[in-house]
Amino acid sequence: MFLFTSSFRIAVLLVLLCGTFAACEQKKESAAKESNEEVRLITALKLYPDSALLTENLAQLYRDQQEYGKAQSLIAEKIMVDSSTARWHEINGVLQLESGDTLQAIDSYKKAFALQPNEDFLKNIATLYAYSGNDMAIVLAGDIANMPASNSKRDAIYIKGLYYQRIRKQALAVEQFDLALKDNYTFSEAYIQKAISLSELKNYTEAVHTLDKAIAVQNNNPDAWYYKGQYLEALGEKEAATKAYEMVLLYSPGDADATDAINSLQQKK
């Protein structure tokens, strides 16, 4: 599964959608190396056109380069040849999602679920409905809560929280995130989303305290540190906010949001 975004910041909202296409995501050192890798993969695919791994690796390469047009064209070709493989629809959904086309992403995940009914696909669909502010999220959350996996109840509650957050019923969202945390106190993303809802209620002090709990659970989560910096700024604690942003850069070097925040604070001195 793959990680998507909230309306506030990259890589926080859809914890249920995370990962990479292939088993291993390679770090690219230069544009030249990326180009060479593309040529190698295209050449290999000509020799082994049925290789799913090569196709996923090439799609992931395009994804890394944010060349979503190329990635989607590649996967569309696979679907034309083999529309009965859920995996291609799943990857298509991820690419559509990251390109900002939530409705098409939902449709792709529905196709994947129809071909391979499993809890992860259903959670993805429900999460995307929640992100869209569609009350189908609540309906599907009810189905998810009754599934046998150990974290199903927690995830169903979390999805409800995302839905209420999206339709700006923040107090209800906080209630749902609290219930999810009661079920599993180490659920770091629920702390982060609770903090976001608290900030929307202008309760920045409690939002910071909530993020401290998220950090206690997962110290190296850059999103928890980033939001902590944001809410410390709102409280006028600029020095503490800067330190929080510096922690973002420690765990996510080059993070654009944290870099911009630090520069902005320096300019205000």
Side-chain angles (χ1 to χ4, degrees), residues 9-267:
R9 170 177 161 82
I10 294 294
V12 97
L13 180 56
L14 305 187
V15 67
L16 303 175
L17 305 171
C18 57
T20 58
F21 297 150
C24 178
E25 180 182 5
Q26 297 176 339
K27 298 296 182 182
K28 310 301 186 295
E29 295 178 358
S30 66
K33 184 175 180 181
E34 289 174 345
S35 178
N36 291 338
E37 181 71 358
E38 180 182 2
V39 171
R40 186 189 71 79
L41 288 168
I42 290 173
T43 301
L45 269 173
K46 288 178 180 179
L47 293 173
Y48 307 102
D50 296 330
S51 172
L53 181 60
L54 287 172
T55 300
E56 289 195 28
N57 280 337
L58 183 56
Q60 182 66 50
L61 177 67
Y62 290 144
R63 185 186 182 212
D64 290 341
Q65 297 170 341
Q66 297 188 339
E67 295 185 276
Y68 287 102
K70 286 185 177 181
Q72 287 177 284
S73 294
L74 176 65
I75 299 303
E77 289 177 9
K78 296 300 294 186
I79 291 174
M80 286 182 65
V81 174
D82 177 15
S83 62
S84 62
T85 297
R87 180 63 170 162
W88 299 133
H89 295 289
E90 178 189 12
I91 292 175
N92 202 34
V94 173
L95 295 171
Q96 290 162 336
L97 191 59
E98 294 182 347
S99 299
D101 196 341
T102 306
L103 293 179
Q104 285 297 317
I106 290 172
D107 185 61
S108 290
Y109 270 105
K110 283 183 175 179
K111 290 175 181 177
F113 182 75
L115 291 166
Q116 185 182 318
N118 68 46
E119 189 170 341
D120 286 342
F121 288 156
L122 189 60
K123 287 179 181 178
N124 290 345
I125 295 166
T127 303
L128 292 177
Y129 274 132
Y131 178 70
S132 303
N134 188 317
D135 60 10
M136 273 301 296
I138 301 297
V139 175
L140 294 181
D143 294 335
I144 292 166
N146 294 320
M147 289 184 168
S150 60
N151 60 353
S152 293
K153 181 181 177 181
R154 179 204 72 177
D155 289 344
I157 296 168
Y158 177 74
I159 288 167
K160 289 180 181 179
L162 295 178
Y163 168 74
Y164 288 127
Q165 185 185 79
R166 192 63 175 175
I167 64 171
R168 299 189 179 282
K169 293 186 177 181
Q170 304 299 347
L172 288 176
V174 169
E175 288 179 10
Q176 294 302 312
F177 295 134
D178 277 339
L179 287 172
L181 290 165
K182 184 178 179 180
D183 187 75
N184 183 351
Y185 75 93
T186 65
F187 191 10
S188 63
E189 288 299 332
Y191 287 116
I192 293 173
Q193 295 306 320
K194 177 183 175 181
I196 290 172
S197 288
L198 287 167
S199 76
E200 290 293 299
L201 295 169
K202 308 301 181 185
N203 192 345
Y204 298 114
T205 299
E206 186 59 30
V208 170
H209 291 162
T210 300
L211 289 167
D212 283 337
K213 294 177 182 178
I215 291 166
V217 169
Q218 186 182 359
N219 181 265
N220 63 348
N221 188 322
D223 294 303
W225 286 107
Y226 176 80
Y227 283 110
K228 182 175 181 179
Q230 290 280 284
Y231 306 148
L232 286 168
E233 270 197 75
L235 291 168
E237 299 182 31
K238 296 180 181 180
E239 185 176 342
T242 298
K243 290 180 180 179
Y245 294 136
E246 288 171 350
M247 292 300 292
V248 176
L249 295 176
L250 175 65
Y251 296 119
S252 180
D255 186 288
D257 292 335
T259 301
D260 289 345
I262 291 172
N263 290 337
S264 177
L265 284 172
Q266 289 176 340
Q267 291 172 6

